[in-house]
Amino acid sequence: MSKDNQLLEELTSREYEHGWNVALETDSAPKGLNEDIVKFISERKNEPEWMLEWRLKAFRLWSKMTEPKWPNVTYPAINYQDIIYYSAPKQSAKPKNLEDVDPELIKTFEKLGISLTEQKRLTGVAVDAVIDSVSVATTFKEKLGELGIIFCSFSEAVREHPELIKKYLGSVVPMSDNYFAALNSAVFSDGSFCYIPKGVRCPMELSTYFRINAANTGQFERTLIVAEEGSYVSYLEGCTAPMRDENQLHAAVVEIYAMKDSHVKYSTVQNWYPGDKEGKGGIYNFVTKRALCAGDNSKVSWTQVETGSAITWKYPSCVLKGDNSSGEFYSVAVTNNMQQADTGTKMIHIGKNTKSRIVSKGISAGKSQNSYRGQVHIMKRAEGSRNFSQCDSLLMGDQCGAHTFPYIDVENSSSKVEHEATTSKIGEDQIFYCQQRGIDEESAVALIVNGYAKEVLNQLPMEFAVEAQKLLALTLEGSVG
Amino acid sequence: MLSIKNLQAKIGDKQILNGINLEVKPGEVHAIMGPNGSGKSTLASVLAGREEFEVTGGEVVYNGKDLLEFSPEDRAREGVFLAFQYPVEIPGVSTINFMKTAVNQIRKYRGQETLDAVSFLGLMKEKMKLVEIDQSLLNRSLNEGFSGGEKKRNEIFQMAMLEPKLSILDETDSGLDIDALKIVAGGVNKLRSSNNSTIVVTHYQRLLEYIVPDFVHVLYKGKIVKSGGKELALELEAKGYDWIKDEVAVA
């Protein structure tokens, strides 16, 4: 057996680190989806009438839509009537501050490595934590409030800032956008809302942690970020879920609205439970993420490190409407065992002299399938626009697959599009070279993979880059951790 | 230091080493010469622990231990260094980062404390001077886009960093012009001491003008067929390998 194959064998024995669940009492909706369930969710969240109407409209739209079949993934049909659409950890009353939060919940987050109290004191990262369907606690609120920054759970925003939600909800991802966006619009449970006022540079990283805890539960969070003229914010999202035999559905929507001269950086470290090595269980991750660079000179950067989920279907995109606006997409997607990922981006150039940059690094191991799917569309009036795309694939072993589906559409002659793609294998030569210098095989793989993904990891905020590096090594190795 | 007895090895179904015997004492430099395909690089690979070669017989005792029992990384940690004929590229990993990982894994194995960034940098600066290598090269991705000379110089830098007891230089002269050759050889000579040993694997005598060996061995068809002092290399240079082949044929 060659060394690559031996390595491969070891890789498949790695276990998911976040595979525990906490005995939280939950308040859940009955299984299934109909108008009553939508009403139930809206009621539980004390929503105003207009919100319920919006949800019902989305539900009616969704009922007439069909699930997309074009992604390069296969999975058994999802029974949408067999899912619980709302699950909330039971609390006697809405917590006023951290002291009122259920200690079990705090423990959950500590296990995840997000101690809310510690975070609050030490790191200067404001965290909104969402477990199952409900946002549990948001730290650092007061300090942000002084700058006029709103960072709160989505439910709270619906109650406290209805004028902003009415204006921007669905403005970037309309409810009719796609099957999963419509589903999310009907049943979204919670998520984060973030508003940066004109000219304000958010002084800390804003961060949301999502976790699915209850069984048979779908999670449908909604994130909305509005960056006013000349503002800046860096936002990070992390996700985990316990190990379960059945598949769980996750269909989130993220909308970013960027005004003139604003800059939004959105980073994701996605580590949902990927299923076991036979492909049993795991999260189905169907996510719609889109940014609208509405104003001139606005800029949005997506950075994602995708290591989890049984199935990933996700294309964080930028609509470059403002002149001179720019969009970036940096992605590392790792698949191992039976995981399937179909991920990439869309860059829609509408404004003049708009720029986009795509750096996608796929890593496939085990029997996994990893696809990059990207669209670059330069419209007629987007004169002088530029795109650079680089799509690299790294294969480990000979049982996995890497696929690239680039779509390029240019409607004027003054724009420039570049596309580079490479496919490589971690070679025995590379591993032996490391070993000959005293580096063991596992560290060698980690070193090589991190080197390969470096350009993307460099885009992450420092503390998360370290976390992401470890996560990459963990995903690909047998005995570490 | 190193005692090789009747070492035999094959790759796939092809037998390449047919009973090598070699004794290397501390402080000695041995040159292994021979025509293409005689098994020189295979010998270097087998000593370093490359798995595609299967050892079919014989033994290798290194500092009183059975070398063949060790994994490749443990051989390195025990002080065996191989300067590669074709150093491998690792994109995105700088030589500095690579060496820091290597040095610290070796130190851990030996029960020493790992070096922090400052001490590591200190050690690196010292070795850089010794082998005359520029830091800009060490900041770049390992061997990626390096010229032949830069790759070989980088190998010698790594050798300086890891301070091996037994260094095996596999065709280090291949692809080098005379200036690069002198620099590389200069580095190797500076690292020579009475405590460490070097095996120089080469096809040509040229390198041995700069790294002067104590012993020269001629490898042919997987066996050492002739051994001598440094003058043997000159004789080979003058006469070529054919007379050796003839001698073997007669015997």
Side-chain angles (χ1 to χ4, degrees), chain A residues 406-458:
Chain A
Y407 304 85
I408 298 169
D409 217 341
V410 183
E411 296 174 16
N412 66 49
S413 55
S414 59
S415 295
K416 198 174 157 188
V417 173
E418 290 172 76
H419 184 96
E420 290 177 8
T422 66
T423 302
S424 52
K425 257 186 104 162
I426 287 195
E428 284 178 30
D429 284 354
Q430 283 176 319
I431 290 172
F432 179 68
Y433 189 76
C434 293
Q435 286 177 305
Q436 212 303 305
R437 299 304 185 244
I439 300 169
D440 62 59
E441 199 164 293
E442 283 194 2
S443 307
V445 171
L447 200 69
I448 295 164
V449 165
N450 277 310
Y452 165 77
K454 191 177 169 193
E455 199 180 343
V456 174
L457 297 176
N458 280 348

